[in-house]
Amino acid sequence: MKYYSTNKQSSLVSFKEATIKGQAPDKGLYFPETIPHINAAFVNSIGEFSNEEIAYKVISPYVGSEISEEKLRQIVSETVNFPIPLVKVNDNISSLELFHGPTLAFKDIGARFMSRCLGYFVQGDSRKVTVLVATSGDTGGAVANGFYDVEGVEVVILYPSGKVSPVQEKQLTALGKNIHALEVLGTFDDCQQMVKQAFADKELTEKKFLTSANSINVARWLPQQFYYFFAYKQWADKNNPPVISVPSGNFGNICAGILAMQSGLPVKHFIAACNVNDILSDYLQTQELKPKQAVATLSNAMDVGNPSNFVRILEIFNHKFPELKNKLSSYSVTDDETIATIKEVYDQHNYLLDPHGAVGYLALKCYLADHPGENGIFLETAHPVKFPGAVEKITGKTIEAPDSVQAIMRSEKMSTQIEAEYEALKDFLMA
Ligand SMILES: *Cc1c(COP(=O)(O)O)cnc(C)c1O
């Protein structure tokens, strides 16, 4: 498979090059030249296949012969080696729980796949590759865990001191080995600015082989299709495919779902469930995408005012607006509605949502109210224990942390504090 840049000003690349480069030189996003078709017989008998087999079948056309079958099967089985259950919440709504991975958020899937592919591609290179990433919380943990102990790869994560939750901080700082946490005395925007400057610094990039692990990397984006197939495998009413609601920020997750649908996965409709940082609703009315300055909400991993993966959605639909509008809706959910939803679902259905999942649930509920006879799935993208402040206050229930979290909370924090200045980062990287 070859990948082109959505800006069409860079040359075609292989899966390996797209994985190593991340973003195209013309600042576009890489996109597969063709969308593979999964045969109907496979989809119809999906219940007979293991998750490993399904994941291999989905990803292999995108990788081609660039990774051997045996190695790719190993990578895939390590990527999906935890449960991804579909849990019924009420008569017409089920939750796809994506939070049973090592850092309790769906980003584990993409990070585990990407880290293993990158590790494979740089094997035997004399230069070590350094993955440089800024995080406001979830990304850093998933990347740290995914890349932990991967040979030939060093990871440097910048996070804003005092501005990530205690669980998130430990997930970044307790690992050690090839994972280096830089605790920046500043904001997330400072961290992101410093990382951008590093990528633009010729002196640094000549000395260090730098790459990024953000969600625009194809090796993080494409494996997110897996769990849409796992959801369908567990969906009882195969004659009436699900409406799927995806809590959305940068739109990487929903875009992977739409890609899966275009490859042949039965899905009735997609809902982009957004918090107040919603720009899609306007777009669906006006066909004009107007980025906004992001505002802070309870579902903070979705506080994005200019979703970078939106251009891939346009690409999937060949820029045909009527087709896009036919398959995709958008809802905007306020913090007050998020709180009320967490409380209602806990009281009435004894199911504990995190703020991101709550946005997904409410958007789906609203859509289904207007579409009688349809049923749906929302993606529960993080474990409620990652957001204990909000969830415990609303439900009055203390959330029990899974064993893995209890263990990490007992381990020691290892971080290097630096000032929020580019020179401090550069000194660290050059040393
Ligand atoms: C990153 C994240 C999202 C948003 O996913 P996108 O792919 O950026 O749309 C939603 N929920 C949680 C918990 C996240 O960490």
mmCIF file of all heavy atoms in Angstrom, residues 64-108:
data_model
loop_
_atom_site.group_PDB
_atom_site.id
_atom_site.type_symbol
_atom_site.label_atom_id
_atom_site.label_comp_id
_atom_site.label_asym_id
_atom_site.label_seq_id
_atom_site.Cartn_x
_atom_site.Cartn_y
_atom_site.Cartn_z
ATOM 1 N N GLY A 64 0.879 -4.516 3.830
ATOM 2 C CA GLY A 64 1.432 -5.248 2.696
ATOM 3 C C GLY A 64 2.574 -6.138 3.130
ATOM 4 O O GLY A 64 2.539 -6.723 4.210
ATOM 5 N N SER A 65 3.628 -6.189 2.312
ATOM 6 C CA SER A 65 4.736 -7.082 2.645
ATOM 7 C C SER A 65 5.834 -6.368 3.430
ATOM 8 O O SER A 65 6.936 -6.889 3.574
ATOM 9 C CB SER A 65 5.305 -7.662 1.348
ATOM 10 O OG SER A 65 5.687 -6.582 0.514
ATOM 11 N N GLU A 66 5.541 -5.173 3.924
ATOM 12 C CA GLU A 66 6.600 -4.418 4.614
ATOM 13 C C GLU A 66 6.934 -5.000 5.984
ATOM 14 O O GLU A 66 7.969 -4.681 6.569
ATOM 15 C CB GLU A 66 6.202 -2.944 4.733
ATOM 16 C CG GLU A 66 6.137 -2.280 3.364
ATOM 17 C CD GLU A 66 5.684 -0.840 3.466
ATOM 18 O OE1 GLU A 66 6.349 -0.066 4.166
ATOM 19 O OE2 GLU A 66 4.654 -0.498 2.854
ATOM 20 N N ILE A 67 6.021 -5.790 6.525
ATOM 21 C CA ILE A 67 6.299 -6.550 7.749
ATOM 22 C C ILE A 67 5.870 -7.984 7.430
ATOM 23 O O ILE A 67 4.812 -8.192 6.829
ATOM 24 C CB ILE A 67 5.481 -5.999 8.952
ATOM 25 C CG1 ILE A 67 5.843 -4.530 9.234
ATOM 26 C CG2 ILE A 67 5.717 -6.843 10.203
ATOM 27 C CD1 ILE A 67 5.061 -3.887 10.372
ATOM 28 N N SER A 68 6.686 -8.963 7.811
ATOM 29 C CA SER A 68 6.349 -10.353 7.460
ATOM 30 C C SER A 68 5.056 -10.759 8.165
ATOM 31 O O SER A 68 4.692 -10.204 9.199
ATOM 32 C CB SER A 68 7.479 -11.284 7.887
ATOM 33 O OG SER A 68 7.479 -11.381 9.308
ATOM 34 N N GLU A 69 4.382 -11.759 7.578
ATOM 35 C CA GLU A 69 3.110 -12.182 8.161
ATOM 36 C C GLU A 69 3.281 -12.602 9.617
ATOM 37 O O GLU A 69 2.503 -12.205 10.491
ATOM 38 C CB GLU A 69 2.505 -13.351 7.355
ATOM 39 C CG GLU A 69 1.272 -13.897 8.056
ATOM 40 C CD GLU A 69 0.480 -14.931 7.268
ATOM 41 O OE1 GLU A 69 0.718 -15.073 6.053
ATOM 42 O OE2 GLU A 69 -0.394 -15.571 7.889
ATOM 43 N N GLU A 70 4.332 -13.362 9.873
ATOM 44 C CA GLU A 70 4.535 -13.865 11.234
ATOM 45 C C GLU A 70 4.716 -12.704 12.226
ATOM 46 O O GLU A 70 4.108 -12.667 13.299
ATOM 47 C CB GLU A 70 5.773 -14.761 11.242
ATOM 48 C CG GLU A 70 5.950 -15.524 12.521
ATOM 49 C CD GLU A 70 7.328 -16.178 12.617
ATOM 50 O OE1 GLU A 70 8.076 -16.156 11.606
ATOM 51 O OE2 GLU A 70 7.647 -16.688 13.698
ATOM 52 N N LYS A 71 5.546 -11.725 11.828
ATOM 53 C CA LYS A 71 5.819 -10.588 12.709
ATOM 54 C C LYS A 71 4.553 -9.740 12.893
ATOM 55 O O LYS A 71 4.242 -9.299 14.007
ATOM 56 C CB LYS A 71 6.949 -9.737 12.109
ATOM 57 C CG LYS A 71 7.360 -8.549 12.961
ATOM 58 C CD LYS A 71 8.022 -8.989 14.266
ATOM 59 C CE LYS A 71 8.143 -7.814 15.233
ATOM 60 N NZ LYS A 71 8.648 -8.234 16.548
ATOM 61 N N LEU A 72 3.820 -9.527 11.793
ATOM 62 C CA LEU A 72 2.620 -8.703 11.895
ATOM 63 C C LEU A 72 1.573 -9.371 12.790
ATOM 64 O O LEU A 72 0.909 -8.713 13.589
ATOM 65 C CB LEU A 72 2.046 -8.406 10.504
ATOM 66 C CG LEU A 72 0.863 -7.421 10.479
ATOM 67 C CD1 LEU A 72 1.234 -6.064 11.083
ATOM 68 C CD2 LEU A 72 0.347 -7.229 9.045
ATOM 69 N N ARG A 73 1.470 -10.692 12.678
ATOM 70 C CA ARG A 73 0.527 -11.404 13.558
ATOM 71 C C ARG A 73 0.922 -11.230 15.021
ATOM 72 O O ARG A 73 0.074 -11.078 15.901
ATOM 73 C CB ARG A 73 0.463 -12.887 13.203
ATOM 74 C CG ARG A 73 -0.359 -13.158 11.954
ATOM 75 C CD ARG A 73 -0.543 -14.659 11.739
ATOM 76 N NE ARG A 73 -1.255 -14.931 10.507
ATOM 77 C CZ ARG A 73 -2.585 -14.910 10.369
ATOM 78 N NH1 ARG A 73 -3.348 -14.648 11.414
ATOM 79 N NH2 ARG A 73 -3.154 -15.148 9.213
ATOM 80 N N GLN A 74 2.239 -11.248 15.267
ATOM 81 C CA GLN A 74 2.699 -11.066 16.651
ATOM 82 C C GLN A 74 2.366 -9.655 17.149
ATOM 83 O O GLN A 74 1.864 -9.465 18.256
ATOM 84 C CB GLN A 74 4.213 -11.324 16.720
ATOM 85 C CG GLN A 74 4.779 -11.228 18.125
ATOM 86 C CD GLN A 74 6.286 -11.024 18.121
ATOM 87 O OE1 GLN A 74 6.974 -11.354 17.139
ATOM 88 N NE2 GLN A 74 6.810 -10.458 19.193
ATOM 89 N N ILE A 75 2.644 -8.648 16.305
ATOM 90 C CA ILE A 75 2.374 -7.261 16.684
ATOM 91 C C ILE A 75 0.883 -7.080 16.990
ATOM 92 O O ILE A 75 0.494 -6.487 17.999
ATOM 93 C CB ILE A 75 2.808 -6.293 15.556
ATOM 94 C CG1 ILE A 75 4.336 -6.251 15.455
ATOM 95 C CG2 ILE A 75 2.248 -4.891 15.775
ATOM 96 C CD1 ILE A 75 4.878 -5.421 14.294
ATOM 97 N N VAL A 76 0.052 -7.628 16.111
ATOM 98 C CA VAL A 76 -1.384 -7.473 16.269
ATOM 99 C C VAL A 76 -1.875 -8.164 17.546
ATOM 100 O O VAL A 76 -2.689 -7.622 18.286
ATOM 101 C CB VAL A 76 -2.064 -8.039 14.993
ATOM 102 C CG1 VAL A 76 -3.438 -8.538 15.299
ATOM 103 C CG2 VAL A 76 -2.094 -6.980 13.907
ATOM 104 N N SER A 77 -1.331 -9.359 17.818
ATOM 105 C CA SER A 77 -1.860 -10.043 19.001
ATOM 106 C C SER A 77 -1.397 -9.345 20.282
ATOM 107 O O SER A 77 -2.136 -9.305 21.258
ATOM 108 C CB SER A 77 -1.545 -11.536 18.988
ATOM 109 O OG SER A 77 -0.175 -11.713 19.128
ATOM 110 N N GLU A 78 -0.208 -8.718 20.253
ATOM 111 C CA GLU A 78 0.200 -7.943 21.431
ATOM 112 C C GLU A 78 -0.611 -6.652 21.564
ATOM 113 O O GLU A 78 -0.777 -6.121 22.652
ATOM 114 C CB GLU A 78 1.698 -7.605 21.345
ATOM 115 C CG GLU A 78 2.587 -8.816 21.568
ATOM 116 C CD GLU A 78 4.072 -8.538 21.295
ATOM 117 O OE1 GLU A 78 4.455 -7.358 21.111
ATOM 118 O OE2 GLU A 78 4.824 -9.519 21.262
ATOM 119 N N THR A 79 -1.110 -6.155 20.430
ATOM 120 C CA THR A 79 -1.907 -4.922 20.461
ATOM 121 C C THR A 79 -3.272 -5.141 21.109
ATOM 122 O O THR A 79 -3.763 -4.293 21.833
ATOM 123 C CB THR A 79 -2.104 -4.391 19.019
ATOM 124 O OG1 THR A 79 -0.822 -4.143 18.449
ATOM 125 C CG2 THR A 79 -2.918 -3.102 18.998
ATOM 126 N N VAL A 80 -3.875 -6.295 20.847
ATOM 127 C CA VAL A 80 -5.266 -6.515 21.305
ATOM 128 C C VAL A 80 -5.364 -7.559 22.421
ATOM 129 O O VAL A 80 -6.378 -8.232 22.551
ATOM 130 C CB VAL A 80 -6.194 -6.903 20.123
ATOM 131 C CG1 VAL A 80 -6.225 -5.790 19.087
ATOM 132 C CG2 VAL A 80 -5.777 -8.218 19.478
ATOM 133 N N ASN A 81 -4.303 -7.640 23.242
ATOM 134 C CA ASN A 81 -4.313 -8.709 24.248
ATOM 135 C C ASN A 81 -5.021 -8.344 25.556
ATOM 136 O O ASN A 81 -4.590 -8.717 26.626
ATOM 137 C CB ASN A 81 -2.873 -9.182 24.522
ATOM 138 C CG ASN A 81 -2.059 -8.120 25.237
ATOM 139 O OD1 ASN A 81 -2.518 -6.982 25.372
ATOM 140 N ND2 ASN A 81 -0.877 -8.455 25.701
ATOM 141 N N PHE A 82 -6.081 -7.561 25.459
ATOM 142 C CA PHE A 82 -6.918 -7.315 26.649
ATOM 143 C C PHE A 82 -8.382 -7.293 26.194
ATOM 144 O O PHE A 82 -8.657 -7.128 25.001
ATOM 145 C CB PHE A 82 -6.515 -6.012 27.355
ATOM 146 C CG PHE A 82 -6.383 -4.819 26.450
ATOM 147 C CD1 PHE A 82 -7.499 -4.063 26.108
ATOM 148 C CD2 PHE A 82 -5.147 -4.448 25.920
ATOM 149 C CE1 PHE A 82 -7.389 -2.973 25.269
ATOM 150 C CE2 PHE A 82 -5.024 -3.354 25.077
ATOM 151 C CZ PHE A 82 -6.151 -2.613 24.756
ATOM 152 N N PRO A 83 -9.323 -7.456 27.130
ATOM 153 C CA PRO A 83 -10.729 -7.556 26.730
ATOM 154 C C PRO A 83 -11.277 -6.241 26.195
ATOM 155 O O PRO A 83 -10.876 -5.173 26.656
ATOM 156 C CB PRO A 83 -11.461 -7.923 28.031
ATOM 157 C CG PRO A 83 -10.417 -8.143 29.065
ATOM 158 C CD PRO A 83 -9.117 -7.607 28.578
ATOM 159 N N ILE A 84 -12.159 -6.317 25.190
ATOM 160 C CA ILE A 84 -12.865 -5.138 24.684
ATOM 161 C C ILE A 84 -14.353 -5.509 24.617
ATOM 162 O O ILE A 84 -14.892 -5.769 23.539
ATOM 163 C CB ILE A 84 -12.298 -4.694 23.315
ATOM 164 C CG1 ILE A 84 -10.796 -4.408 23.447
ATOM 165 C CG2 ILE A 84 -13.048 -3.453 22.797
ATOM 166 C CD1 ILE A 84 -10.121 -3.814 22.233
ATOM 167 N N PRO A 85 -15.002 -5.553 25.773
ATOM 168 C CA PRO A 85 -16.383 -6.067 25.804
ATOM 169 C C PRO A 85 -17.418 -5.028 25.377
ATOM 170 O O PRO A 85 -17.227 -3.828 25.559
ATOM 171 C CB PRO A 85 -16.578 -6.423 27.283
ATOM 172 C CG PRO A 85 -15.658 -5.507 28.029
ATOM 173 C CD PRO A 85 -14.481 -5.244 27.117
ATOM 174 N N LEU A 86 -18.501 -5.532 24.793
ATOM 175 C CA LEU A 86 -19.670 -4.708 24.494
ATOM 176 C C LEU A 86 -20.677 -4.985 25.607
ATOM 177 O O LEU A 86 -21.116 -6.116 25.791
ATOM 178 C CB LEU A 86 -20.244 -5.101 23.127
ATOM 179 C CG LEU A 86 -21.391 -4.233 22.602
ATOM 180 C CD1 LEU A 86 -20.920 -2.815 22.292
ATOM 181 C CD2 LEU A 86 -22.007 -4.866 21.346
ATOM 182 N N VAL A 87 -21.004 -3.942 26.383
ATOM 183 C CA VAL A 87 -21.816 -4.119 27.592
ATOM 184 C C VAL A 87 -23.149 -3.399 27.418
ATOM 185 O O VAL A 87 -23.171 -2.211 27.076
ATOM 186 C CB VAL A 87 -21.060 -3.543 28.823
ATOM 187 C CG1 VAL A 87 -21.917 -3.608 30.079
ATOM 188 C CG2 VAL A 87 -19.744 -4.290 29.035
ATOM 189 N N LYS A 88 -24.256 -4.110 27.651
ATOM 190 C CA LYS A 88 -25.569 -3.509 27.496
ATOM 191 C C LYS A 88 -25.845 -2.549 28.652
ATOM 192 O O LYS A 88 -25.692 -2.904 29.817
ATOM 193 C CB LYS A 88 -26.632 -4.603 27.488
ATOM 194 C CG LYS A 88 -27.684 -4.382 26.425
ATOM 195 C CD LYS A 88 -28.584 -5.609 26.287
ATOM 196 C CE LYS A 88 -29.905 -5.244 25.652
ATOM 197 N NZ LYS A 88 -29.855 -4.601 24.356
ATOM 198 N N VAL A 89 -26.220 -1.312 28.346
ATOM 199 C CA VAL A 89 -26.535 -0.345 29.398
ATOM 200 C C VAL A 89 -28.049 -0.248 29.584
ATOM 201 O O VAL A 89 -28.552 -0.202 30.703
ATOM 202 C CB VAL A 89 -25.935 1.041 29.075
ATOM 203 C CG1 VAL A 89 -26.350 2.093 30.105
ATOM 204 C CG2 VAL A 89 -24.410 0.957 29.005
ATOM 205 N N ASN A 90 -28.792 -0.217 28.490
ATOM 206 C CA ASN A 90 -30.259 -0.298 28.566
ATOM 207 C C ASN A 90 -30.771 -0.956 27.286
ATOM 208 O O ASN A 90 -29.981 -1.499 26.510
ATOM 209 C CB ASN A 90 -30.875 1.090 28.825
ATOM 210 C CG ASN A 90 -30.584 2.068 27.699
ATOM 211 O OD1 ASN A 90 -30.440 1.670 26.535
ATOM 212 N ND2 ASN A 90 -30.468 3.347 28.025
ATOM 213 N N ASP A 91 -32.077 -0.899 27.056
ATOM 214 C CA ASP A 91 -32.678 -1.665 25.950
ATOM 215 C C ASP A 91 -32.035 -1.404 24.592
ATOM 216 O O ASP A 91 -31.833 -2.331 23.813
ATOM 217 C CB ASP A 91 -34.176 -1.337 25.828
ATOM 218 C CG ASP A 91 -34.971 -2.126 26.841
ATOM 219 O OD1 ASP A 91 -34.374 -3.052 27.454
ATOM 220 O OD2 ASP A 91 -36.153 -1.811 27.037
ATOM 221 N N ASN A 92 -31.749 -0.137 24.305
ATOM 222 C CA ASN A 92 -31.254 0.138 22.951
ATOM 223 C C ASN A 92 -29.847 0.726 22.898
ATOM 224 O O ASN A 92 -29.378 1.140 21.851
ATOM 225 C CB ASN A 92 -32.254 1.012 22.167
ATOM 226 C CG ASN A 92 -32.536 2.333 22.857
ATOM 227 O OD1 ASN A 92 -32.042 2.576 23.960
ATOM 228 N ND2 ASN A 92 -33.309 3.199 22.220
ATOM 229 N N ILE A 93 -29.155 0.770 24.043
ATOM 230 C CA ILE A 93 -27.805 1.348 24.067
ATOM 231 C C ILE A 93 -26.797 0.410 24.737
ATOM 232 O O ILE A 93 -27.026 -0.082 25.842
ATOM 233 C CB ILE A 93 -27.810 2.711 24.805
ATOM 234 C CG1 ILE A 93 -28.680 3.722 24.035
ATOM 235 C CG2 ILE A 93 -26.401 3.242 24.996
ATOM 236 C CD1 ILE A 93 -28.693 5.114 24.643
ATOM 237 N N SER A 94 -25.675 0.178 24.046
ATOM 238 C CA SER A 94 -24.585 -0.614 24.624
ATOM 239 C C SER A 94 -23.293 0.203 24.634
ATOM 240 O O SER A 94 -23.119 1.114 23.831
ATOM 241 C CB SER A 94 -24.336 -1.885 23.807
ATOM 242 O OG SER A 94 -25.489 -2.685 23.768
ATOM 243 N N SER A 95 -22.406 -0.159 25.562
ATOM 244 C CA SER A 95 -21.124 0.543 25.726
ATOM 245 C C SER A 95 -19.990 -0.357 25.241
ATOM 246 O O SER A 95 -19.874 -1.505 25.684
ATOM 247 C CB SER A 95 -20.933 0.853 27.215
ATOM 248 O OG SER A 95 -19.600 1.248 27.484
ATOM 249 N N LEU A 96 -19.183 0.137 24.325
ATOM 250 C CA LEU A 96 -17.984 -0.605 23.923
ATOM 251 C C LEU A 96 -16.853 -0.122 24.824
ATOM 252 O O LEU A 96 -16.365 1.006 24.690
ATOM 253 C CB LEU A 96 -17.649 -0.363 22.452
ATOM 254 C CG LEU A 96 -16.466 -1.196 21.933
ATOM 255 C CD1 LEU A 96 -16.802 -2.690 21.897
ATOM 256 C CD2 LEU A 96 -16.030 -0.728 20.546
ATOM 257 N N GLU A 97 -16.463 -0.969 25.761
ATOM 258 C CA GLU A 97 -15.499 -0.548 26.790
ATOM 259 C C GLU A 97 -14.063 -0.673 26.270
ATOM 260 O O GLU A 97 -13.508 -1.759 26.169
ATOM 261 C CB GLU A 97 -15.695 -1.380 28.052
ATOM 262 C CG GLU A 97 -17.045 -1.110 28.708
ATOM 263 C CD GLU A 97 -17.216 -1.827 30.037
ATOM 264 O OE1 GLU A 97 -16.404 -2.737 30.361
ATOM 265 O OE2 GLU A 97 -18.172 -1.474 30.763
ATOM 266 N N LEU A 98 -13.487 0.485 25.966
ATOM 267 C CA LEU A 98 -12.135 0.513 25.395
ATOM 268 C C LEU A 98 -11.075 0.816 26.454
ATOM 269 O O LEU A 98 -9.963 1.179 26.113
ATOM 270 C CB LEU A 98 -12.077 1.574 24.286
ATOM 271 C CG LEU A 98 -13.040 1.365 23.112
ATOM 272 C CD1 LEU A 98 -12.973 2.547 22.152
ATOM 273 C CD2 LEU A 98 -12.708 0.072 22.384
ATOM 274 N N PHE A 99 -11.458 0.644 27.731
ATOM 275 C CA PHE A 99 -10.557 1.111 28.797
ATOM 276 C C PHE A 99 -9.923 -0.021 29.592
ATOM 277 O O PHE A 99 -9.481 0.181 30.704
ATOM 278 C CB PHE A 99 -11.289 2.065 29.740
ATOM 279 C CG PHE A 99 -12.537 1.490 30.363
ATOM 280 C CD1 PHE A 99 -12.451 0.525 31.355
ATOM 281 C CD2 PHE A 99 -13.788 1.925 29.957
ATOM 282 C CE1 PHE A 99 -13.596 -0.005 31.933
ATOM 283 C CE2 PHE A 99 -14.947 1.406 30.539
ATOM 284 C CZ PHE A 99 -14.839 0.433 31.526
ATOM 285 N N HIS A 100 -9.861 -1.213 29.036
ATOM 286 C CA HIS A 100 -9.266 -2.314 29.792
ATOM 287 C C HIS A 100 -7.793 -2.535 29.448
ATOM 288 O O HIS A 100 -7.200 -3.515 29.879
ATOM 289 C CB HIS A 100 -10.069 -3.597 29.562
ATOM 290 C CG HIS A 100 -11.480 -3.498 30.079
ATOM 291 N ND1 HIS A 100 -11.782 -3.588 31.424
ATOM 292 C CD2 HIS A 100 -12.655 -3.264 29.446
ATOM 293 C CE1 HIS A 100 -13.100 -3.445 31.590
ATOM 294 N NE2 HIS A 100 -13.651 -3.243 30.407
ATOM 295 N N GLY A 101 -7.212 -1.634 28.689
ATOM 296 C CA GLY A 101 -5.787 -1.735 28.363
ATOM 297 C C GLY A 101 -4.928 -1.186 29.492
ATOM 298 O O GLY A 101 -5.443 -0.701 30.501
ATOM 299 N N PRO A 102 -3.599 -1.229 29.325
ATOM 300 C CA PRO A 102 -2.686 -0.873 30.418
ATOM 301 C C PRO A 102 -2.830 0.552 30.941
ATOM 302 O O PRO A 102 -2.588 0.771 32.124
ATOM 303 C CB PRO A 102 -1.298 -1.103 29.827
ATOM 304 C CG PRO A 102 -1.485 -1.336 28.377
ATOM 305 C CD PRO A 102 -2.896 -1.749 28.150
ATOM 306 N N THR A 103 -3.220 1.535 30.121
ATOM 307 C CA THR A 103 -3.360 2.887 30.683
ATOM 308 C C THR A 103 -4.819 3.329 30.710
ATOM 309 O O THR A 103 -5.121 4.513 30.856
ATOM 310 C CB THR A 103 -2.487 3.940 29.948
ATOM 311 O OG1 THR A 103 -3.054 4.220 28.669
ATOM 312 C CG2 THR A 103 -1.058 3.466 29.786
ATOM 313 N N LEU A 104 -5.717 2.378 30.571
ATOM 314 C CA LEU A 104 -7.151 2.601 30.793
ATOM 315 C C LEU A 104 -7.794 3.597 29.834
ATOM 316 O O LEU A 104 -8.744 4.292 30.200
ATOM 317 C CB LEU A 104 -7.419 3.053 32.245
ATOM 318 C CG LEU A 104 -6.733 2.271 33.367
ATOM 319 C CD1 LEU A 104 -7.129 2.855 34.719
ATOM 320 C CD2 LEU A 104 -7.087 0.798 33.307
ATOM 321 N N ALA A 105 -7.281 3.704 28.616
ATOM 322 C CA ALA A 105 -7.935 4.546 27.615
ATOM 323 C C ALA A 105 -7.745 3.918 26.236
ATOM 324 O O ALA A 105 -6.818 3.120 26.027
ATOM 325 C CB ALA A 105 -7.371 5.962 27.634
ATOM 326 N N PHE A 106 -8.610 4.292 25.289
ATOM 327 C CA PHE A 106 -8.564 3.646 23.969
ATOM 328 C C PHE A 106 -7.252 3.909 23.246
ATOM 329 O O PHE A 106 -6.879 3.169 22.338
ATOM 330 C CB PHE A 106 -9.743 4.118 23.100
ATOM 331 C CG PHE A 106 -9.529 5.447 22.443
ATOM 332 C CD1 PHE A 106 -9.003 5.516 21.161
ATOM 333 C CD2 PHE A 106 -9.823 6.620 23.092
ATOM 334 C CE1 PHE A 106 -8.795 6.738 20.535
ATOM 335 C CE2 PHE A 106 -9.609 7.848 22.483
ATOM 336 C CZ PHE A 106 -9.083 7.906 21.208
ATOM 337 N N LYS A 107 -6.523 4.950 23.654
ATOM 338 C CA LYS A 107 -5.280 5.268 22.963
ATOM 339 C C LYS A 107 -4.235 4.160 23.093
ATOM 340 O O LYS A 107 -3.273 4.125 22.337
ATOM 341 C CB LYS A 107 -4.709 6.595 23.467
ATOM 342 C CG LYS A 107 -5.573 7.784 23.059
ATOM 343 C CD LYS A 107 -4.895 9.116 23.334
ATOM 344 C CE LYS A 107 -5.685 10.276 22.771
ATOM 345 N NZ LYS A 107 -6.908 10.575 23.550
ATOM 346 N N ASP A 108 -4.444 3.245 24.044
ATOM 347 C CA ASP A 108 -3.535 2.103 24.175
ATOM 348 C C ASP A 108 -3.436 1.306 22.876
ATOM 349 O O ASP A 108 -2.354 0.837 22.521
ATOM 350 C CB ASP A 108 -4.026 1.156 25.287
ATOM 351 C CG ASP A 108 -3.630 1.652 26.677
ATOM 352 O OD1 ASP A 108 -2.570 2.288 26.816
ATOM 353 O OD2 ASP A 108 -4.386 1.387 27.637
#
